Amino acid sequence: MNQWDEFRIERTILKIGMFLAAKRNSHLSQLGLTASQSEALLFIHDNPNSNITCLKAHLKISHQAARVLVERLKDKDLVVVKKKKKDSRSR
Protein backbone atom coordinates (compact mmCIF):
# COMPACT_ATOMS: atom_id res chain seq x y z
CA MET A 1 0.00 0.00 0.00
CA ASN A 2 1.42 3.37 -0.95
CA GLN A 3 1.01 6.73 0.78
CA TRP A 4 -1.77 7.82 -1.58
CA ASP A 5 -3.83 4.74 -0.70
CA GLU A 6 -3.26 5.36 3.02
CA PHE A 7 -4.37 8.97 2.60
CA ARG A 8 -7.55 7.91 0.79
CA ILE A 9 -8.38 5.37 3.49
CA GLU A 10 -7.74 7.95 6.21
CA ARG A 11 -10.00 10.51 4.47
CA THR A 12 -12.75 7.90 4.04
CA ILE A 13 -12.61 7.00 7.73
CA LEU A 14 -12.73 10.69 8.69
CA LYS A 15 -15.75 11.27 6.43
CA ILE A 16 -17.57 8.29 7.91
CA GLY A 17 -16.78 9.55 11.41
CA MET A 18 -18.07 13.04 10.62
CA PHE A 19 -21.23 11.59 9.06
CA LEU A 20 -21.91 9.42 12.12
CA ALA A 21 -21.19 12.30 14.51
CA ALA A 22 -23.62 14.57 12.64
CA LYS A 23 -26.31 11.88 12.69
CA ARG A 24 -25.72 11.24 16.39
CA ASN A 25 -25.84 14.96 17.19
CA SER A 26 -29.12 15.27 15.31
CA HIS A 27 -30.68 12.51 17.39
CA LEU A 28 -29.23 13.88 20.63
CA SER A 29 -30.49 17.39 19.95
CA GLN A 30 -34.01 15.99 19.75
CA LEU A 31 -33.44 14.76 23.30
CA GLY A 32 -31.98 18.08 24.42
CA LEU A 33 -28.50 16.61 24.86
CA THR A 34 -25.07 17.35 23.47
CA ALA A 35 -22.56 14.72 22.41
CA SER A 36 -20.45 15.49 25.49
CA GLN A 37 -23.46 15.07 27.77
CA SER A 38 -24.25 11.76 26.09
CA GLU A 39 -20.67 10.54 26.58
CA ALA A 40 -20.78 11.61 30.22
CA LEU A 41 -24.07 9.78 30.78
CA LEU A 42 -22.67 6.61 29.25
CA PHE A 43 -19.57 6.85 31.45
CA ILE A 44 -21.61 7.50 34.58
CA HIS A 45 -23.94 4.61 33.75
CA ASP A 46 -20.98 2.25 33.38
CA ASN A 47 -19.17 3.71 36.42
CA PRO A 48 -21.87 4.70 38.94
CA ASN A 49 -19.47 5.38 41.81
CA SER A 50 -17.07 7.50 39.77
CA ASN A 51 -16.17 11.11 40.45
CA ILE A 52 -15.34 14.25 38.47
CA THR A 53 -11.67 13.29 38.25
CA CYS A 54 -12.53 9.94 36.65
CA LEU A 55 -14.94 11.60 34.23
CA LYS A 56 -12.44 14.25 33.14
CA ALA A 57 -9.79 11.60 32.56
CA HIS A 58 -12.17 9.47 30.51
CA LEU A 59 -13.40 12.38 28.38
CA LYS A 60 -9.95 14.00 28.24
CA ILE A 61 -11.29 17.40 29.32
CA SER A 62 -10.38 19.82 32.07
CA HIS A 63 -11.66 19.44 35.61
CA GLN A 64 -13.73 22.61 35.24
CA ALA A 65 -15.29 21.39 31.98
CA ALA A 66 -16.23 18.11 33.65
CA ARG A 67 -17.83 19.97 36.55
CA VAL A 68 -19.85 22.16 34.19
CA LEU A 69 -20.93 19.09 32.24
CA VAL A 70 -22.12 17.34 35.39
CA GLU A 71 -23.91 20.47 36.61
CA ARG A 72 -25.82 20.68 33.32
CA LEU A 73 -26.82 17.03 33.61
CA LYS A 74 -27.85 17.65 37.19
CA ASP A 75 -29.95 20.67 36.11
CA LYS A 76 -31.73 18.37 33.65
CA ASP A 77 -32.35 15.87 36.46
CA LEU A 78 -30.31 13.23 34.65
CA VAL A 79 -27.74 12.66 37.39
CA VAL A 80 -27.61 12.92 41.14
CA VAL A 81 -24.47 14.42 42.64
CA LYS A 82 -23.35 13.11 46.01
CA LYS A 83 -20.63 14.78 48.03
CA LYS A 84 -18.24 12.60 49.94
CA LYS A 85 -18.35 13.16 53.66
CA LYS A 86 -14.55 13.27 53.96
CA ASP A 87 -13.97 15.93 51.30
CA SER A 88 -16.57 18.51 50.35
CA ARG A 89 -14.67 19.17 47.10
CA SER A 90 -14.97 15.60 45.84
CA ARG A 91 -18.21 14.64 44.09
Side-chain angles (χ1 to χ4, degrees):
M1 183 180 312
N2 63 36
Q3 287 181 331
W4 178 247
D5 290 337
E6 289 176 4
F7 174 76
R8 290 177 58 202
I9 291 169
E10 179 183 347
R11 290 295 306 148
T12 301
I13 291 170
L14 287 172
K15 287 180 184 179
I16 292 168
M18 291 186 315
F19 170 79
L20 292 173
K23 190 171 185 109
R24 177 178 174 212
N25 287 336
S26 173
H27 291 294
L28 290 171
S29 68
Q30 293 173 7
L31 299 172
L33 294 173
T34 65
S36 296
Q37 290 169 342
S38 169
E39 287 293 326
L41 285 172
L42 288 171
F43 176 80
I44 293 165
H45 178 266
D46 292 342
N47 304 278
N49 295 317
S50 61
N51 59 26
I52 295 287
T53 302
C54 296
L55 179 63
K56 81 170 185 118
H58 176 75
L59 296 178
K60 296 177 178 43
I61 59 176
S62 70
H63 188 85
Q64 183 61 27
R67 286 185 57 132
V68 169
L69 190 54
V70 169
E71 283 300 317
R72 289 187 179 152
L73 292 172
K74 184 178 141 191
D75 291 345
K76 294 180 180 192
D77 295 323
L78 296 173
V79 297
V80 175
V81 176
K82 296 179 183 177
K83 291 184 181 182
K84 288 186 179 180
K85 293 178 183 177
K86 291 182 181 179
D87 186 355
S88 64
R89 297 171 300 161
S90 183
R91 294 179 180 198

